[in-house]
Structures are given as structure tokens and as C-alpha cells.
Amino acid sequence: MIKKVILPVAGLGTRFLPATKSIPKEMLTVVDKPLIQYIVEEAAEAGITEIILVTHSSKSAIENHFDKNYELEIELEARGKQDRLALIDNILPKGVSVISVRQPEALGLGHAILCAKSVLNDNEPFAVMLPDVLMHHAQKGCLAQMVASFSDHGHSMVALEEVADADVEKYGIAAIKEGEQGLEVTALVEKPSVAEAPSNLSVVGRYIFTPKLMSLLEDTQPGAGGEIQLTDAMDELLKTEKMFGFEFKNGQSYDCGDKLGYLKANVEYALRDAKLAGDFKAYLARLDNTKI
Ligand code: G1P
């Protein structure tokens, strides 16, 4: 039912300067793959067939990553490097296509999502994934679990996760109640102070929306940070429609928009990598902090 996902990638990634001066932050690697590739793989696993990048003129490396590189392929073929060829063969999963729309001005996440409006059909529900957030699950990806749940009830959904008091002001925060069909969202606030926050449940970068969200975004005024906030349009949606909170259980999220979160992702994904894990674990065990 959900075939399209919007990936907002127009942000300039100033938190990671100087690394992101000429490289999109979505192209930063976790072990051996850029962040955006993990996101596209999670989307494909959820049955998504159309990736809509909302992008910026400085971010063409992302589109190039999902395009063919014939020169590289011919070179690897000629050198008999079939193993390396296999690594770039399936970067864009079969049956999935990527299209781009531009966000001409950095007016906020809500505005970025609205830029993709013309690519959606009028009555089409859609997903949004924030490429800063990696979600690891040994069995079933976060978006796949959300899509399965959406096909049962047909209401908008947002992935939620508990954060410490000190981190509440970095995220969208949800008020919830236990409904008959699960966790119902009753209000959403973007980056509140701890005193204003209705809970410790933060929005973690995976969403499914009914079409109504797009029309609400058209009327959403600048909010926190002077930006048009997706969270504000979602809060408005709650006045007319239900929205479910999705708790990502037995998995792990990584906020790679934050340096510490990004480092944790690299360490933990390396520890899960069959080829690296043994040596890397041994190295960590031997690591002598007193010499650093
Ligand atoms: C965005 C959203 C916020 C959400 C966060 C998740 O904020 O606006 O609601 O909790 O992503 O990472 P940003 O990180 O772009 O400031």
C-alpha cells in the first residue's frame, strides 16, 4: 500500500563541518556504506518502490551513488574483480527507482516534505524517513514493521523512542495514551524544553502519513527555530485524524546527525559485521585508554 518514501536530504549538515563541506552528510559512511544506502535498503525491505529525494544543488553525490558508474564497472570487470563489482551492483535494490525534487530554500523539514507534493497522487499515503537516523533490527526493519501495522489500521504513524530529560529539547516530543488499537498520539511539540515536554517520547525519523498531511503542510506557519516544522503539521492532523505511535522494540536507533551517535553507529555496526567483528572486538578489548 505504501509505495513511496520521501527522504529529505537538502540540509547542509553544518553539525559535521568540515567533513560535510563538499560531501553530503548523507554520504558519510558507517563502516563501509553511506548512511543513505542503509536508509534505501530499509525502505526497499518495507516494499517501497519509489524513493523521492528532496535535495539541493550541492548534493548530487547522493544521486550519483544510486546511478550506474559504467567506467568503474568496466574497469572492475576487466581486472576480474568480481567481488568488488558485487558491492556496487545492487546499490539500488531491484524494482526501486529514485527521483529528485529540489528544495530551493532551507525553510525547514515540513517545507522539505511539501516540496514532494507534486510527485504523490492525491489520495496516496506515503512514508518519510530521516536519513540521519539509522534503525537496526536483527529481524525486521522499522519501516517494514510500520508498513505492516499501517495496512491493519490505515492511520498515520510515527516511530517513538524514550530519551533522557537532557535530550528532550533536541527532538519532536509526543504525548500519548493507550488506545484500544495501541499507542495513540494525542499531541506533538517540536524541541520543547523539559518543563514544556508532555513526555520523554521522542520522534525518531520514521513516519507514515495519510494524504491529509500534505494539505496541512501548505498552511503550516514557521515554528521552532523559525522553520516550517513537520511536527506542527502532524499536531494539526491530530485534530481530525488518529495517529499511532510505533515503539521500535528489540532494535536500536542511532542519531547519526550527532557526532556521538554517529560514532556509536560505526562501532556497533562494525561489531555486527561478520568479517570485522572478531578483530575489532579484540582491538577494543586491548585498547589502552591511558595512552590516548
Ligand atoms: C527532526 C525532527 C524532529 C525529530 C528528529 C529526529 O529534527 O524535526 O521532530 O525528533 O528529526 O532525528 P532535526 O534532527 O532535523 O533537528
Side-chain angles (χ1 to χ4, degrees):
M1 259 201 323
I2 308 281
K3 292 292 162 205
K4 295 179 186 168
V5 65
I6 302 174
L7 307 186
V9 297
L12 294 180
T14 52
R15 271 190 278 178
F16 268 90
L17 283 170
T20 50
K21 183 164 175 270
S22 62
I23 295 170
K25 63 174 175 163
E26 296 78 9
M27 290 301 291
L28 294 177
T29 52
V30 169
V31 186
D32 57 0
K33 281 193 281 192
L35 286 168
I36 193 77
Q37 193 175 331
Y38 289 94
I39 300 295
V40 166
E41 287 171 4
E42 186 187 328
E45 187 204 340
I48 298 287
T49 54
E50 202 166 312
I51 309 279
I52 304 162
L53 300 173
V54 180
T55 188
H56 178 266
S57 58
S58 64
K59 300 272 193 117
S60 53
I62 299 174
E63 283 132 316
N64 293 345
H65 186 69
F66 293 103
D67 203 350
K68 280 232 169 249
N69 183 338
Y70 285 110
E71 204 180 332
L72 181 61
E73 288 183 21
I74 288 166
E75 198 61 38
L76 290 173
E77 188 85 58
R79 293 190 202 170
K81 306 258 185 208
Q82 298 304 331
D83 50 340
R84 306 250 165 114
L85 198 56
L87 295 174
I88 58 164
D89 219 19
N90 237 341
I91 289 181
L92 187 61
K94 290 214 164 32
V96 176
S97 59
V98 176
I99 61 163
S100 303
V101 294
R102 289 279 176 97
Q103 184 184 20
E105 284 178 277
L107 298 179
L109 177 59
H111 176 258
I113 304 306
L114 185 59
C115 288
K117 184 173 188 279
S118 61
V119 187
L120 298 172
N121 300 320
D122 282 349
N123 294 313
E124 188 174 19
F126 59 98
V128 171
M129 299 168 82
L130 305 188
D132 278 352
V133 186
L134 287 191
M135 305 288 253
H136 176 268
H137 194 286
Q139 272 93 46
K140 196 172 183 188
C142 181
L143 194 68
Q145 293 187 42
M146 289 173 73
V147 165
S149 176
F150 176 82
S151 65
D152 287 343
H153 55 64
H155 295 292
S156 293
M157 300 183 71
V158 57
L160 299 174
E161 189 180 62
E162 245 179 70
V163 286
D165 278 358
D167 291 329
V168 152
E169 61 180 26
K170 294 188 200 161
Y171 299 104
I173 300 292
I176 52 140
K177 67 169 190 206
E178 282 289 346
E180 273 171 24
Q181 290 170 283
L183 219 54
E184 281 184 34
V185 177
T186 56
L188 285 150
V189 198
E190 181 66 11
K191 301 191 173 77
S193 63
V194 188
E196 290 161 340
S199 78
N200 278 48
L201 282 176
S202 75
V203 169
V204 269
R206 299 291 184 273
Y207 314 80
I208 291 177
F209 292 121
T210 57
K212 178 93 187 276
L213 194 270
M214 272 294 174
S215 54
L216 293 174
L217 275 172
E218 285 177 311
D219 296 324
T220 304
Q221 299 304 308
E227 297 188 337
I228 297 172
Q229 296 290 353
L230 177 60
T231 307
D232 292 344
M234 291 165 69
D235 189 54
E236 195 61 30
L237 185 66
L238 292 173
K239 293 183 180 158
T240 52
E241 291 185 10
K242 264 190 195 172
M243 184 184 299
F244 286 107
F246 178 78
E247 274 191 295
F248 183 55
K249 291 199 186 110
N250 308 320
Q252 180 68 45
S253 74
Y254 301 89
D255 181 1
C256 295
D258 172 75
K259 279 183 200 165
L260 190 59
Y262 176 69
L263 289 171
K264 286 180 188 168
N266 267 289
V267 170
E268 294 184 23
Y269 276 76
L271 289 172
R272 289 188 193 108
D273 183 303
K275 285 194 183 135
L276 283 173
D279 288 346
F280 190 49
K281 232 179 243 173
Y283 158 75
L284 290 177
R286 277 196 318 269
L287 191 63
D288 182 354
N289 287 327
T290 60
K291 290 192 182 151
I292 290 172

